[in-house]
Amino acid sequence: MPERAFRRQLLEQARLAPGMRILYIGCGTGALLIDAFQLATNAVLWGVDGGASTLELASNRFARFCVDVQLVAGLANCLPFRSGSFDRVFSTLMLHHLTHAEKTAALSEAFRVLQSGGEFHIADWGPPHTKTMRAASLMLAFERSDRIADNLQGRISGLCFEAGFSAVHSTRRFRTIFGTLELIAAAKSEPPAA
């Protein structure tokens, strides 16, 4: 897995700025938040994850790196934050674990917690873009066919549009031993001027 490469690309495309409010959904042990902390001075960083033991690991890791991150237990399809709370929201290798209904709810929640003009940046499995990647993705499709179908059939961008996002586009693809890893950027448009 080209984890460092795709994290770097995801953060670059997000154009982080000092003082931004950043949320990482399904933060795991938080490597992306450590990178974000180094890129955006005075950023307000939040991580949400459904696993208590994972959050404990993340907390210990942030303490070692002296990174200030607020960690919250929660699920992607029911985020414990007020509407319009964040400038940037990230998700990496989380959406493919969700059912179609959970994905739809998670994308709607990401849209809700972003402020107008905010952006959602995703790294997850996407449709195979070569014959080799098609063969590699067979293992993923076999193991989690009910959950990963939206990813492998290229529906994530469409689901982002349905959730209310605009300017949704695939920004990069990475070849991995498991298939194509796709990066997607989506914006929450500013409301039209009165």
Side-chain angles (χ1 to χ4, degrees):
M1 282 291 293
E3 189 174 347
R4 285 187 180 176
F6 82 69
R7 278 201 327 259
R8 183 172 53 250
Q9 178 69 33
L10 206 61
L11 290 167
E12 283 177 10
Q13 76 185 32
R15 302 177 324 278
L16 300 182
M20 278 188 167
R21 294 163 298 158
I22 298 166
L23 173 64
Y24 185 14
I25 302 173
C27 67
T29 57
L32 184 129
L33 288 170
I34 292 170
D35 294 344
F37 176 81
Q38 295 168 344
L39 288 173
T41 56
N42 299 317
V44 180
L45 303 172
W46 288 81
V48 62
D49 200 280
S53 59
T54 302
L55 289 174
E56 186 176 342
L57 288 171
S59 180
N60 293 337
R61 185 177 198 181
F62 296 143
R64 277 197 322 274
F65 284 93
C66 299
V67 175
D68 185 19
V69 176
Q70 304 300 314
L71 294 171
V72 177
L75 300 177
N77 56 354
C78 187
L79 294 172
F81 303 104
R82 289 194 320 260
S83 298
S85 295
F86 298 99
D87 300 292
R88 297 290 185 270
V89 173
F90 292 91
S91 168
T92 64
L93 295 170
M94 183 272 300
L95 287 174
H96 72 276
H97 291 291
L98 306 180
T99 65
H100 177 79
E102 290 167 343
K103 277 187 189 73
T104 300
L107 294 171
S108 293
E109 281 290 273
F111 182 83
R112 181 185 65 79
V113 301
L114 275 168
Q115 68 172 1
S116 292
E119 298 174 4
F120 185 30
H121 296 274
I122 302 166
D124 216 310
W125 303 116
H129 67 293
T130 67
K131 287 181 182 179
T132 305
M133 293 297 95
R134 191 170 294 111
S137 68
L138 289 176
M139 184 171 58
L140 288 171
F142 177 74
E143 287 184 11
R144 312 252 349 183
S145 62
D146 61 324
R147 295 174 184 257
I148 202 164
D150 287 327
N151 295 70
L152 298 183
Q153 293 172 19
R155 293 190 202 125
I156 299 302
S157 291
L159 293 175
C160 286
F161 278 118
E162 288 175 19
F165 288 101
S166 60
V168 180
H169 58 282
S170 176
T171 60
R172 180 119 184 238
R173 292 182 179 95
F174 290 87
R175 294 166 54 108
T176 79
I177 60 169
F178 301 110
T180 299
L181 183 70
E182 181 178 38
L183 273 53
I184 296 173
K188 182 173 182 176
S189 296
E190 300 272 3

